Structures are given as C-alpha cells and as structure tokens.
Amino acid sequence: MFAEGGRGGARPGGLSHLSFDPASSSKSLQVGSAAGPRGSESPAENGSDPGKKRKRANIPPDGGINLSLDAIPMGLPMSDPAAWTTAMNNLGMAPMGMTGQPLLPDFDPALGVMTGIPPINPMMPGLGIVPPPIPPDMPAVKEIIHCKSCTLFPPNPHLPPPATRERPPGCKTVFVGGLPENGTEQIIMEVFEQCGEVIAIRKSKKNFCHIRFAEEFMVDKALYLSGYRIRLGSSTDKKDTGRLHVDFAQARDDLYEWECKQRMLAREERHRRRLEEERFRPPSPPPVVHYSDHECSVVAEKLKDDTKFLEAIQTLLTWIERGEVNRRTANNFYSMIQSANSHIRRLVNEKAAHEKEMEEAKEKFKLALSGILVQFEQIVAVYHSASKQKAWDHFTKAQRKNISVWCKQAEEIRNIHNDELMGIRREEEMEMSDEEIEDPSEMKETEESALVSQVEALKEENDSLRWQLDAYRNEVELLKQEQGKASRDEDTTKEQQMKLLQQALQGMQKHLLKVQDEYKKREAELEKVREDKLKIETLLENLKEQQSMADKEDKERDVTECQGSESSASRACACSQEKECPAEKTLSNSPVKSEREVLLVGIISTFLHVHPFGASIEYICSYLQRLDSKICTAEVEVLMTRLQNTFRQELSGVGASLEKRWKFCGFDGLKMT
C-alpha cells in the first residue's frame, strides 16, 4: 500500500534539508536550526534545564575531526557575537567573525587592555580558532540527527560500512529495514524527506518498507542513513527502537523509466550523428546549365580567362557528354575546343616553372644533407679518437660503455644519411643521362616555341575565317570513320579466328610433346626388361651347368662307395687320414670352402625357412649385413648357386614386375639324395 502522508505538513524544526551529497562530501552532517539542539549534544540535553552545564562532545579516537562548533576547545559559544567581541576587545584584537567580517566596524585597538598589537584575524593559521582543512581521504564523522518525533544515533565509526547490493539501472527506490514496530509512515516520511522529494512509501507489517524518490541522486542521500539507530521520542521500549538498514531496491517503474530515458538518449545520439554526417558530407556539384546560344557565348568567354577556365571546361565536357553537339552547334563547339587547346602551352610553362622550383629545393636539400654528413663524420672521428689506448684508459667502465654505444648509434645514422645522399646522386646521374639524349630535341622545341609565339598573333586573326572549313572537314572525317569501323569489324573477326587457330596448334604441340615423353619412357622400360631377360637366361645356363656337375659328382660318389666296401683296411686308413686332416678334405670336396661360408649357409637357411615364399638376394644381403657389414651380394649369390640342393631360385611376376626369389629346399634335397 502506497501512502504519501506527512508531505504536506510543516517540516520539523530539528530536520533541515540536506544541502550536501554524502557520497561526494567529506563534511559532517549538521542538522538543526540555530535555536534547536546541536548535533554534538547528547540526548539528555534535550530535556535538561538550561541552567545546567552543556557537555562538549569528545574528539573520536580514530582521528576523525568533528566540524561542529562545540568540538572547538573554547569556553565561549560560537554563536554569541557579544561574547566574541568582549573577549577579543580585552586582547586588543579587532573583533572578527568566523567568516573574517569585523563584528564592530568602529573598533579602536587603543581602547583595549593590550595596546600596540595589530588586529589579528581569527582565521589566521596557528591560532587554534579554526581547525586545519580535512584531508580528502579521511572519512566523514556521522553525528546525531534530531527529528520532531524521533532521534537518529550514528553507528560505531570503527565498524565497516554496511553492505549493499548491486545498484539496478535507474534506481530511485530504496529498501529500508530495521524499523521500530511502532513506526508509522509519518515518522518514515519525517526521516527520509530530508533526502529529497518522496513520491511513495510502501510499508510492510514486518518492520520494513520501500521508498521511491523523485530523482536518482536522492537514493545516495538515503543510503547515508544506513546503520543509524532510531529511537521514537525518549522511550526506551524495544518496540520504539531499531537499526536502519538502507539498500537499493529493484522496481519495475524505475527500470521502465530508465529504459525510456535510454531510448530517448539513443534517438538523440542517432539524430546527432545524422546531423554530423550531413555536415561533413561533401557538397554536391553545382548543376550545369543547359546548352543555348547565350550560354555558349558565356562559356566561350570564360574559356579565354585563366581564372575561370576550370569551371568552363567542366561545363563544356558535360555538354559534349550529353550529346549537345550536332550540325548546327558543331562550329561553336569546335571554337570552344580550340580555346581549350590554347591553354596547353600555359600549363606546360607552369609545369616547367614548378619543376625548376623543385630542382632548386633538391639542390638546397642536397647541400644541407652533405653538411650534416660532414658533422656526423667529425663526431664519429671524435668517438674513434676517444677509443684509442691513449685516452681510453682514463675513462671509467660506465663512460667507456656510453662512448661505445654513442659511437655505434652515430655510425648507423651516418650510414643511413650517406645512403640517402648516394641515392639522390644516382637519380641525378640517371636524369643527366636522359637529358643528354633529349638535349637536341629540347633545343628544337625552344626554337619552335620562339617562332610560334611570333606567329600566334597572326593565327588568332585567321581562326575566325577558318572555322567553317574545319567544320566541313570534321563531317568528312566522321563519314570516313564510319566506313573504317565496318572494315575494322571484319579485321577483328579474322584476328579472332587466327587466335583460335593458334591456340589449337599450341594445344596440339603440347600433346605431341607429352606423347614423345611417354614413348621415351616406354622405350627405357623395354630396355630394362631386355636386360633382365638376358640376365635370367645366363642364370638358367649356369643352373643347368651346375645340375650336370652335380649329377657327375653323385655318380662318382656311388663308385667310390662300392670300392670302399671291398677292403676295411683301406677304410680304417681313410678314417685315420680323415681324422688327421678332416677339414681339408671336406673343404676340398664339398661346395662349402670355409667355416665362414658354413655359417652363412646356416644363417641364410634359417632366414629363408622363416620366409616360405622366398626372398630376393637384396633382402637376404641386407639382413646379413646387419651381422657383418663386409658381406657383399655377389659372394652370397655365388654361394647359394653352388648349393643347388639347399637353395632354389624362382622367377615371379610378369614384364616389368619380374622378380627373382630364393627359397630354401633343403628338406626336398634330403629326400632326393
């Protein structure tokens, strides 16, 4: 329930409107009129007799300075001008108020007790009458606030400030908790009306309420009262006391008004940006007048004037682009074009003058740069001479470091400027070489310009008679151009056909080159296949020879076995001889000639037994070279070809993928033998 009671009544004498912002001011709160009780007085003084002594509030222990007049260590009341005047008159001082104004304008210092003392201003520092200024970081001291129906006591200054929630946007409503049970809306209005205009109060039955102010800054003043203890009248009943807790509150009306304000600001910002864009937008060019005989004569006159030439040439260009040229106006346009052509010589002369100025500026810059380089060279020479042993030993370590750093910087800057000067000289040399080539033509041009300037006056007189003839010539040229366009179209079609044919020929040539490359690759592959075939044939012949040799050896072994069975004595002798030199006989008769070859045969057989589908000679040798890097492929291949009953070579694949593989056939050889 919203109520607005208490707004229309008279403001209580003990509550004056807060004329400061608690969030930004460091002054203490002073509430009360000149006749009412002061903030430094205790609550017991309100009801005491006026004859009793008034108590002065002590300075807080935290160092906070109270700006109330009762806190000044003086026995006289500050508000009584008569007491001030009497006291200062006795001291021979000019009676001055707190603001520095004289209390008695006709005061004579000679009438006082102490004469010869000049008038002293009580505002002067060091007298102890006015306290020194408060530092900005010192917190303000809260004082007792007396209202008509209640009294507010400040919180303990040593306690931390009360916690508050995050401020909602556009907040004008505060939550007030800790109200006394007997508190009414009139008392709440009396307390918070000093913070600003109160629009509405919504009080709850549970000792809290919501207060909505007219402006946002009033909420900050209301938050200043958070933590105060409130007491209704002089009662000490629990229902008449409470501790205020003021915090931000979120209200729909505040949010709606804030959103409306933000939309209004956004509209104003858009309008301002639009105005700025329109202000900075370049102005549109002035409209070009339509062609007429009068405007043509005006433009022709402007074309002859150097100052108005640019404006007139724009008008002429627009007329020609619009299609204003016809047989009737062709002569007028030709005369205007001729006038425009006469400005070319003027522009060329202006360009030459500017180029001359630029050359002079270049010369000045080159001279200045060369002077700077000379100074840099001298500075670098000073650094180098200081770095010599004779002077270097006398400098400290820090001085040597600085000198070396300065020397490096100076050398770098000198090199940069030197490169720049060399670049300028190279450009001049290039320009000089170009000018040497163009010198004879320039001499001719200067001679021609001198002659042209003499003949120019005569040409201008004859121009008025020749423009009709030129117009007819222009018509003839137009007819010739139309005929030439038709012939050009035919030529363009022929050129396009030729281009297409050339592109086709280029494509065929590229295709032929690709085919030739492929043919060469195929020939190389065929040669490789032929070489492989020859190698295979030679290997087959070698295998056949080895097989025939093996058959002969088998027959010889059979014969020796038959002969050995005839006499046991010969066998015993043979056995004894074999025991004496077994290695020699086995090595001479068997295809394995050394113990190393025996080891190789064993390793190869185990390797090929693991690879039942066979392996190439390169694969076998790569495995063996891990064990002994001295093994070569030819040695292994010769050893395996000797042992035909143990190893067999097979061919797999077709054509270019033909591959030789060795397989282990030792078990088959045992069965055959």
Side-chain angles (χ1 to χ4, degrees):
M1 179 177 178
F2 286 82
E4 299 185 6
R7 292 170 56 191
R11 193 183 300 269
L15 275 175
S16 63
H17 189 76
L18 291 177
S19 60
F20 69 99
D21 188 355
S24 62
S25 176
S26 62
K27 297 180 181 179
S28 61
L29 182 64
Q30 294 289 342
V31 181
S33 60
R38 299 204 173 265
S40 61
E41 296 175 3
S42 62
E45 288 183 49
N46 294 331
S48 62
D49 296 333
K52 293 182 179 180
K53 268 191 176 181
R54 299 177 65 187
K55 298 179 181 179
R56 288 185 283 110
N58 295 325
I59 297 174
D62 58 351
I65 299 174
N66 195 340
L67 294 183
S68 62
L69 300 180
D70 292 338
I72 301 171
M74 295 178 64
L76 298 174
M78 296 294 294
S79 60
D80 190 1
W84 270 104
T85 306
T86 306
M88 298 184 74
N89 188 14
N90 293 333
L91 293 172
M93 304 179 190
M96 306 289 285
M98 291 299 296
T99 59
Q101 298 293 331
L103 298 176
L104 295 177
D106 300 328
F107 174 76
D108 187 7
L111 299 176
V113 176
M114 298 177 65
T115 59
I117 300 176
I120 300 175
N121 190 345
M123 301 295 290
M124 293 172 63
L127 296 178
I129 299 174
V130 178
I134 301 174
D137 56 348
M138 185 175 293
V141 178
K142 296 183 178 181
E143 296 185 352
I144 300 171
I145 300 174
H146 298 280
C147 301
K148 186 177 180 181
S149 305
C150 61
T151 307
L152 299 177
F153 298 96
N156 189 355
H158 298 288
L159 294 176
T164 57
R165 60 177 293 180
E166 186 179 357
R167 182 167 190 158
C171 180
K172 296 181 183 179
T173 306
V174 294
F175 165 82
V176 182
L179 294 171
E181 293 184 10
N182 295 334
T184 61
E185 291 184 5
Q186 185 177 2
I187 295 173
I188 296 169
M189 178 66 74
E190 182 181 347
V191 173
F192 286 94
E193 194 178 16
Q194 60 184 339
C195 300
E197 182 183 353
V198 177
I199 295 176
I201 297 176
R202 185 178 63 186
K203 188 175 182 303
S204 175
K205 297 179 181 179
K206 296 185 178 180
N207 302 333
F208 70 87
C209 69
H210 289 83
I211 303 173
R212 189 162 190 262
F213 292 97
E215 299 295 337
E216 293 183 22
F217 70 89
M218 300 175 184
V219 173
D220 298 324
K221 294 184 178 182
L223 288 175
Y224 181 76
L225 300 176
S226 183
Y228 269 81
R229 290 181 291 108
I230 184 171
R231 188 178 71 185
L232 303 181
S234 59
S235 175
T236 57
D237 192 3
K238 189 176 181 181
K239 294 183 178 181
D240 293 334
T241 60
R243 184 181 294 276
L244 297 180
H245 174 69
V246 186
D247 198 355
F248 299 109
Q250 191 168 3
R252 294 180 181 176
D253 295 340
D254 297 344
L255 183 61
Y256 176 73
E257 289 180 3
W258 181 79
E259 289 175 350
C260 292
K261 187 177 180 181
Q262 294 298 317
R263 285 194 291 270
M264 182 183 68
L265 293 174
R267 285 195 298 271
E268 291 177 356
E269 181 67 18
R270 286 196 299 270
H271 180 66
R272 186 182 60 79
R273 288 182 181 175
R274 195 179 299 112
L275 290 177
E276 287 183 358
E277 289 175 0
E278 291 177 357
R279 185 162 59 88
F280 289 108
R281 187 179 299 163
S284 58
V288 179
V289 296
H290 292 281
Y291 177 81
S292 64
D293 294 337
H294 173 69
E295 294 295 338
C296 179
S297 62
V298 172
V299 171
E301 292 296 328
K302 288 182 179 179
L303 284 170
K304 296 176 183 178
D305 191 358
D306 296 345
T307 58
K308 300 178 181 179
F309 173 73
L310 187 59
E311 178 185 354
I313 199 72
Q314 290 290 338
T315 306
L316 178 60
L317 177 62
T318 307
W319 284 349
I320 294 172
E321 289 178 350
R322 285 179 181 175
E324 299 288 347
V325 183
N326 51 36
R327 289 187 178 182
R328 186 178 64 84
T329 60
N331 297 329
N332 295 333
F333 275 99
Y334 180 77
S335 63
M336 288 189 287
I337 292 169
Q338 194 173 11
S339 299
N341 185 43
S342 64
H343 286 273
I344 292 174
R345 191 174 293 105
R346 174 181 63 82
L347 297 174
V348 170
N349 293 333
E350 289 180 0
K351 181 189 174 185
H354 290 306
E355 286 178 351
K356 187 176 180 182
E357 292 177 359
M358 186 178 68
E359 291 296 330
E360 292 176 356
K362 280 185 179 179
E363 287 294 330
K364 290 180 181 178
F365 175 71
K366 189 173 69 174
L367 291 173
L369 190 60
S370 60
I372 291 168
L373 277 173
V374 169
Q375 295 177 13
F376 269 117
E377 291 291 344
Q378 293 174 355
I379 293 169
V380 172
V382 169
Y383 289 142
H384 285 307
S385 61
S387 300
K388 291 180 180 178
Q389 193 72 23
K390 188 185 294 182
W392 191 254
D393 293 339
H394 299 287
F395 294 116
T396 62
K397 191 174 183 180
Q399 291 172 348
R400 293 176 186 174
K401 186 177 180 182
N402 290 335
I403 290 170
S404 59
V405 171
W406 294 339
C407 184
K408 288 180 182 178
Q409 291 176 354
E411 287 177 349
E412 290 175 0
I413 297 170
R414 181 198 61 184
N415 294 334
I416 291 168
H417 286 286
N418 197 8
D419 294 340
E420 189 175 356
L421 184 61
M422 293 300 293
I424 293 170
R425 289 177 179 172
R426 288 194 204 97
E427 290 177 359
E428 289 180 352
E429 290 175 359
M430 295 291 291
E431 290 176 359
M432 289 295 291
S433 61
D434 295 338
E435 287 174 0
E436 288 175 359
I437 297 168
E438 296 174 359
D439 275 340
S441 61
E442 287 181 358
M443 291 295 291
K444 291 180 181 179
E445 287 180 0
T446 53
E447 293 175 359
E448 289 178 358
S449 62
L451 294 172
V452 167
S453 60
Q454 296 176 0
V455 180
E456 197 172 23
L458 297 173
K459 281 187 177 180
E460 289 178 357
E461 294 178 1
N462 295 329
D463 283 341
S464 60
L465 299 174
R466 294 174 57 190
W467 63 272
Q468 294 180 354
L469 181 61
D470 292 337
Y472 290 117
R473 287 179 180 175
N474 290 333
E475 291 179 0
V476 173
E477 288 177 358
L478 289 171
L479 292 172
K480 288 181 180 179
Q481 288 176 0
E482 290 177 357
Q483 292 176 358
K485 284 181 181 178
S487 61
R488 285 175 188 171
D489 293 337
E490 293 177 358
D491 294 338
T492 53
T493 54
K494 289 180 181 178
E495 287 178 358
Q496 289 177 357
Q497 291 176 359
M498 290 292 291
K499 287 180 181 178
L500 292 172
L501 291 172
Q502 288 176 358
Q503 290 176 358
L505 286 172
Q506 289 176 358
M508 292 293 290
Q509 289 175 356
K510 291 179 181 177
H511 183 66
L512 285 171
L513 292 172
K514 289 181 181 178
V515 171
Q516 288 177 359
D517 294 337
E518 291 179 357
Y519 179 70
K520 289 178 181 178
K521 290 179 182 178
R522 295 287 173 84
E523 282 185 349
E525 291 177 356
L526 286 171
E527 288 178 358
K528 288 181 181 179
V529 170
R530 287 172 185 170
E531 290 176 358
D532 293 337
K533 282 183 179 180
L534 291 172
K535 289 179 181 179
I536 291 165
E537 288 175 358
T538 54
L539 289 171
L540 288 172
E541 290 177 358
N542 292 331
L543 289 171
K544 287 177 182 179
E545 290 176 359
Q546 290 175 1
Q547 284 180 357
S548 61
M549 292 292 291
D551 294 337
K552 289 178 182 179
E553 288 177 358
D554 292 337
K555 289 178 182 179
E556 289 176 358
R557 285 177 185 173
D558 294 336
V559 171
T560 53
E561 286 177 359
C562 293
Q563 291 176 358
S565 60
E566 291 176 357
S567 59
S568 59
S570 61
R571 287 181 184 176
C573 294
C575 290
S576 61
Q577 289 174 2
E578 286 176 0
K579 287 179 182 178
E580 290 175 0
C581 53
E584 293 178 359
K585 286 188 176 181
T586 53
L587 291 174
S588 61
N589 295 330
S590 65
V592 181
K593 296 179 181 180
S594 64
E595 187 177 359
R596 183 170 180 273
E597 290 183 353
V598 173
L599 291 172
L600 286 174
V601 169
I603 294 168
I604 293 167
S605 8
T606 54
F607 179 77
L608 291 176
H609 183 63
V610 176
H611 296 78
F613 296 103
S616 63
I617 189 68
E618 290 82 6
Y619 186 25
I620 296 168
C621 289
S622 66
Y623 176 73
L624 293 173
Q625 284 174 356
R626 293 180 185 176
L627 304 174
D628 187 4
S629 59
K630 297 179 181 179
I631 296 172
C632 61
T633 308
E635 180 185 358
V636 176
E637 190 172 5
V638 169
L639 178 62
M640 293 175 72
T641 51
R642 288 205 302 261
L643 301 172
Q644 296 179 358
N645 295 328
T646 308
F647 305 108
R648 183 174 67 252
Q649 189 179 25
E650 294 181 355
L651 298 174
S652 62
V654 179
S657 62
L658 193 65
E659 186 181 6
K660 303 173 189 176
R661 289 180 176 271
W662 288 91
K663 291 186 178 181
F664 177 71
C665 59
F667 300 114
D668 298 335
L670 285 173
K671 293 177 183 178
M672 291 172 66
T673 55

